[in-house]
Amino acid sequence: MEALQQFRATTREWLEANCPQSQRQPATREEQVWAGRNKTFPSDDAKIWLEKMSAKGWTCPDWPAAYGGGGLGDEETKILLEEMKSLGCRKPLLDIGIWMLGPALLEYGTEEQKLEHIPKIIRGDIRWCQGYSEPGAGSDLASLQTRAEDKGDHFLINGTKIWTTNADKADFVFCLVRTNTDAIKQKGISFLLIDMETEGVSTSLIELISGESEFCQTFFDNVKVPKNNLVGELNAGWSVAKSLLKHERKLMSEMGELPGPGFSPAQAAQKYVGLNNDGKLKNAALREQLTQHEMDYRCLGLTHFRTFEERINGVADSNVPLIMKYVGTEEQKKKDGLLVALLGSQGIGWEQGESFTADEILSTRSWLFSKALSIAGGTSEVQLNIIAKRVLGLPDA
Amino acid sequence: MEALQQFRATTREWLEANCPQSQRQPATREEQVWAGRNKTFPSDDAKIWLEKMSAKGWTCPDWPAAYGGGGLGDEETKILLEEMKSLGCRKPLLDIGIWMLGPALLEYGTEEQKLEHIPKIIRGDIRWCQGYSEPGAGSDLASLQTRAEDKGDHFLINGTKIWTTNADKADFVFCLVRTNTDAIKQKGISFLLIDMETEGVSTSLIELISGESEFCQTFFDNVKVPKNNLVGELNAGWSVAKSLLKHERKLMSEMGELPGPGFSPAQAAQKYVGLNNDGKLKNAALREQLTQHEMDYRCLGLTHFRTFEERINGVADSNVPLIMKYVGTEEQKKKDGLLVALLGSQGIGWEQGESFTADEILSTRSWLFSKALSIAGGTSEVQLNIIAKRVLGLPDA
Amino acid sequence: MPLIFNEEQRLLKDTAKEFLNSNAPVEALRKLRDEKDATGYSTELWRQMVELGWASIILPEAYDGLDFGFMGLGAVIEESGHTLSASPLFSTVVLGASTLILGGNEQQKQDNLPAIAAGELAFALALEEGSHHDPAAVKLSAEQNNEGYILNGKKTFVLDGHSADKLIVVARSSGEAGCTDGLSLMLVDANATGITRTRTIMADSRNAANISFDNVQLSADDVIGEIGQGFSILDPVLDRARIAMAAEMLGGAQECFDRTIEYLKEREQFGVKIGSFQALKHRAAIMYTELQLSKSVILDALSAIDEQRADTNQLASLAKARLNDVYQLVTNEAVQMHGGIGVTDELEIGFFLKRARVSMQAFGDSGFHRDRYATLCGY
Amino acid sequence: MPLIFNEEQRLLKDTAKEFLNSNAPVEALRKLRDEKDATGYSTELWRQMVELGWASIILPEAYDGLDFGFMGLGAVIEESGHTLSASPLFSTVVLGASTLILGGNEQQKQDNLPAIAAGELAFALALEEGSHHDPAAVKLSAEQNNEGYILNGKKTFVLDGHSADKLIVVARSSGEAGCTDGLSLMLVDANATGITRTRTIMADSRNAANISFDNVQLSADDVIGEIGQGFSILDPVLDRARIAMAAEMLGGAQECFDRTIEYLKEREQFGVKIGSFQALKHRAAIMYTELQLSKSVILDALSAIDEQRADTNQLASLAKARLNDVYQLVTNEAVQMHGGIGVTDELEIGFFLKRARVSMQAFGDSGFHRDRYATLCGY
């Protein structure tokens, strides 16, 4: 315990000494720092902050120090995050290499692959994107068609991936490809890392109902990929992918953390609906909905904390994390729907200008975008199937 | 049109002349007249009213006059019911022979069977009950085990039926029995009429969560049934049963008409929850629930009327009646649940006395009994399967 | 209480369906959106609708109307919900013509109704001032002066307000915000001096406007009905609007549902049609039942208007609250059941989702109408 | 904010589980019901619970208590929800002991707490006067006279009131019904002159009483805390009751859920296990997630009491509202998924359904607590 208290003290001291004042408040969308070969920093402070943090490996605090990570244990990691939160320090670096690929590479990658990719992820040198879904495949990931032919010294890739978030900005994509067309579905799939600058790779943006979109379709037209970019065994990519999906679903369940409108539902209620003389929201039905949401949201947060506590204390129930993608995204949808309902006619505008503020338009767009949350990364229906099968042990049909 | 107006006028005149004043208000449970060999009348007026009505065949107004029915067309039947409603005339006779067996017998019965049973149903001489379900069979009606062996001049019945409503009071039961054990499920089932006084028939009451119960289990121990009690073809009882189930489901969807507590949810709300100074119910959540219920209930009523209008006008959508069992029973459950919520601690008593009124106890019991509505006569899940398949044409798994 | 359309109304409905499918499908709305059309609807299309008689359906025969009533108009509007067709029908006829029919004097009727029937005048109702429907909250002032009345204030969310020729402005001539007494209806030229209109492009690709009134001078003849007694006209007009909007929402929900059922029958996942998954089947069956109940209430509500029934206000709130909820349910389920493609702009389902949201907001959300219904029922 | 039970609390929980399964399963409640037991609980069982230390879990050591706090008591009460065990634990310890601990003077503590720890005294809280939980609505009067105070009025839904030895009576010493000011807590012998108790048998086969007070004379020493300031004690006591009741409800809901899942795995229909039907799977999975969220909030609420956190009142309303809804959902689904057998008295699921209904009503329904939560949050 004393060692941990000591760690907390020195961590706090270091953060206070090294985190620039400008980095001690939530980042707007424009202020976020994403990894990349040619990344740009919104400010000098942001650059300094990333350099300081990545030098200590604290962009990935619980990764092995051997590859440049922080090398911290669970409890130390928790303390670091708590201290960052308490000072208001923003995340120095955003990348799905950190959230998704890294942990899988540490588990399945060769020593050579780890030495090549992990330090770059920690420093933010490479921006990653993910290539799982294909047009028409939907929840049935394993039915993918993108081919990787064995050409002796390399694989030759042909096919297309959809929902490749930020593929137009990414340097590398990690992909599921079919390496054996004879085997049944899952058995013939491999996990590949592909440099987006390779000849034959191209991307196009997908327009969503919310208008703007970070989703792309990515095309592979006779793309040559070195064989040592294969992660895990040949035709055994499904295990790597499943391990990764866990991280994606966890990520989706925390999407509420992304920058949204600058008001909470409760604030929006007070501003746009208003209170009666007795201090209650004017519209009783909206008040009920708001309260129900605030209550459920609080329970969701407490459950996040609980699973963390359980893990720290060695009494983790491995079933509980399985519900988080489902509950997290459904609740986020409710929150975004509630917000536009509270905004009333100010929550249904389409273009910013003298009639609608930026926050109002962002509310409308976020509400529309939220519809994708319970579809991407495993639909809610698939999540419920998983809970029924893996947690409750209900029989197959 | 003129003929109908004429019919309305004479009908009204006849009702005014013949319906005793005491029969012009809703019947309490004690005042209901059920059919039966040894039926008792709660009053002389009730006896007179039944005699007058059955003499005209108006206990079954749209059944053929040849068997003692009223012989009325759809529009005349509607007028009769409207006029009865407008004067407040109660139903002179209750029996599932009227609601369920009669229509099926008219469709599938032999001339001999019709002449034997239909007039007795119309006069209320015989009380019927139904024997479909068996212990453990649940929604899977066709898996029934009760055997009827062909013994040359009679069938020999062995087995047991469950949920035989009022079997302890009934004179006859119509039953599904297995007449061929080799055939696949539905193919070996026949439809039989069995006199409850036959040797080997016995009944026992089932206690429900609501306490009192009209449900029985009925046992058949080497019961001999004459062969001419077979309705429809041998091994083709499933068609008769399906035709009957339609009527049962319609009946279930109208269960709201049964005697319940002497206050509506809106009245209970005003009495037990009370209004604020601004005339609104004190508990905002209960007010929302009450309003939602009242609105949905009104829509349900309008939909009953609409299907009737459509039928009269020859533009019936045969799909709509399929939803009524589901919606009717689910809404009734909501209503009964709402009522106890409105009654608060007065809605959770168990025994009448100085602490709880008869209406309060009836509310509690009705709420508990209502849980059976979405199970009996085809569970809500089965109803939804039917809608998905028959109406929407969604494919089988 | 006819809970079915009669022969005439069915014919009108079938014709509307055919016409709209051919001339104004969802694709047409997409085109208006992508081309950033200045009017927000096709004037040529509107001319054709007028030729079909739609602008005159509810007008009395004395003013070149067909006198088919709201059952007739509702049948057409329900069809326009299937295709999301943009036109001035709602603002001009349901709102504009209704106000004049219910409250206008002979001169006002003569001046305007035949012109509406001929498609020569487009109307808009300038009512809302806050972000939630609240007729009593009006503050825009109508002060009496020598020449008549002078208007000052601001209106928001005025449907089709940017392209209307005339505005019906709900103004306060006396009393305080929150009172229904003291409201007055003013017939105003949309281009009158002192009026500034800002077009607001809404999420559903339809149009509304924010309008400010800066010393707009009116004559006493511009008042519809009695001064200060406007609510007695406005309230039934709003009920017509709520019911007509609900009819459109029923059409939209039905269309969205039908498309989803088709998709469930076509789309394969894990080697089978997704429509064979029981969880989706049950959700689809529940939507079907909700739509059937909705259909009944829309028919009853439309006929309540035509029969001038006393419970029209209850039915308006019942219809609007229900269709708000059902349209929301169906569009949400439609997106989810379509999966990834459901959230792309390429698929038309998104247009229904957005239209549902906007129409839910117009003329009262579900909370407003459940509260109103409860109050009308005395609890 | 420990969101897990510690070693000591887990041990307590496991012991409770074992003891209750062996000695007070649902079958025991059925027996009490069918035998129309006069006390409504087994005094022998209560003696054993006392021996296990349950009556003293939250008591300070100075009064023979174990000082394990509400995390400890909650662990035991959650287990009692699994078995629906009837005992005076809730009324005597959660309500009675809490009131004395929070508001009693030294003499009152000395006189009562060790006796509670020894299982010698049973308490009940006489609060409600109408059919809905409303602490401020109290009218029962406490008028001052020469000898102290004299009580007149009626109480209803007094849990375990028929068998209690002592009553804590919420009385109005000043102010009007609707005010929290002017409430006073009175410690009254349950058999005092002027008290008439009528046992009311409730749907869950537990017991309550209607109690009338007819000129019941108290001394000034019978007041708990300051006269007229009772609400400042009552409010946190009620929060403890809400949280403890919610813990019991979590146990009941979890038990009902587990039994239903077992049934889904066993029961066959149409030749397959009904647990293979996707619609039922999804509903089961949703219930599981609701139970997991509920578990988190119960743990946080129990620890909020022990840590004397300022947001304990919010958590009490959050926990009670949530468990009201979840227990209702789970018991309704359990009955429906069990089908025909689910509505028979033979199956024990009906006991959970009834207990859910009664516990939902006690100490505030969901509407009460959502309203309170919203008010506490300032909207």
Side-chain angles (χ1 to χ4, degrees), chain A residues 316-348:
Chain A
D317 176 350
S318 62
N319 289 326
V320 181
L322 289 175
I323 70 171
M324 298 315 263
K325 156 73 165 91
Y326 170 76
V327 192
T329 55
E330 291 295 333
E331 201 55 42
Q332 184 66 33
K333 281 203 301 183
K334 276 193 210 145
K335 178 181 178 176
D336 289 333
L338 171 64
L339 199 58
V340 287
L342 291 168
L343 262 58
S345 52
Q346 292 307 112
I348 47 179

Side-chain angles (χ1 to χ4, degrees), chain D residues 259-331:
Chain D
R259 292 182 182 205
T260 303
I261 296 298
E262 280 316 301
Y263 189 73
L264 292 178
K265 290 179 188 175
E266 282 165 17
R267 167 77 169 162
E268 292 197 1
Q269 287 269 274
F270 308 106
V272 296
K273 305 287 184 198
I274 62 172
S276 69
F277 293 129
Q278 196 196 30
L280 298 189
K281 278 185 183 175
H282 281 196
R283 282 153 57 185
I286 288 168
M287 282 192 271
Y288 176 79
T289 65
E290 292 296 344
L291 286 168
Q292 286 301 325
L293 297 187
S294 303
K295 192 176 166 186
S296 310
V297 81
I298 293 298
L299 287 165
D300 195 42
L302 289 169
S303 61
I305 302 175
D306 290 339
E307 293 164 6
Q308 302 180 11
R309 269 161 45 196
D311 64 350
T312 306
N313 50 7
Q314 288 184 15
L315 280 157
S317 282
L318 174 54
K320 186 63 175 33
R322 164 162 272 274
L323 269 299
N324 281 349
D325 297 345
V326 171
Y327 205 3
Q328 182 174 41
L329 169 74
V330 172
T331 48

Side-chain angles (χ1 to χ4, degrees), chain C residues 77-84 245-261 287-288 290-292 294-295 298 322-334 349 352-353 355-356 359:
Chain C
I77 287 182
E78 185 187 328
E79 288 303 329
S80 77
H82 281 265
T83 48
L84 298 179
M245 184 65 87
E248 189 214 295
M249 295 167 86
L250 174 64
Q254 184 69 50
E255 179 69 25
C256 217
F257 176 72
D258 291 344
R259 292 182 182 206
T260 304
I261 296 299
M287 282 193 272
Y288 176 79
E290 292 296 344
L291 286 168
Q292 287 300 324
S294 303
K295 191 175 166 186
I298 294 298
R322 165 163 272 275
L323 269 299
N324 281 349
D325 296 346
V326 171
Y327 206 3
Q328 182 175 41
L329 169 74
V330 172
T331 48
N332 281 344
E333 285 285 57
I349 291 293
F352 289 92
L353 178 71
R355 179 62 184 160
S359 46

